[in-house]
Amino acid sequence: MMPKLTGLEVLKKVRKNPSSSHQKVLMLTAKGQAQDKQDMLDSGADSNLIKPFNPMELIDTVRDLLKDKIS
């Protein structure tokens, strides 16, 4: 857990800021409940991975996000 803001709060700030709102966001989280994932997606996350994560899954996810960004 982060000391001052939750990841979800940071995500919401990123999405509200015009200079960063267009950036792809991959959330890396310890929260694995279905509602947590839905909250992140509803708040603007492009994807999320639950810790501990498989390194190949991270690589594949980043690759997919970059493909979407280029397209």
Side-chain angles (χ1 to χ4, degrees), residues 6-9 11-12 15 27 29 31-48:
T6 68
L8 196 56
E9 291 169 329
L11 174 60
K12 289 176 182 178
R15 289 299 182 222
M27 301 291 288
T29 181
K31 295 184 173 188
Q33 300 297 319
Q35 187 60 51
D36 296 320
K37 182 175 182 173
Q38 190 61 51
D39 290 345
M40 283 183 254
L41 294 174
D42 289 346
S43 295
D46 294 291
S47 187
N48 71 352

Side-chain angles (χ1 to χ4, degrees), residues 26-32 37 40 47-62:
L26 167 62
M27 301 291 288
L28 179 60
T29 181
K31 295 184 173 188
K37 182 175 182 173
M40 283 183 254
S47 187
N48 71 352
L49 293 177
I50 299 168
K51 295 187 278 187
F53 61 91
N54 177 324
M56 288 308 299
E57 183 180 12
L58 173 62
I59 291 168
D60 289 342
T61 302
V62 170

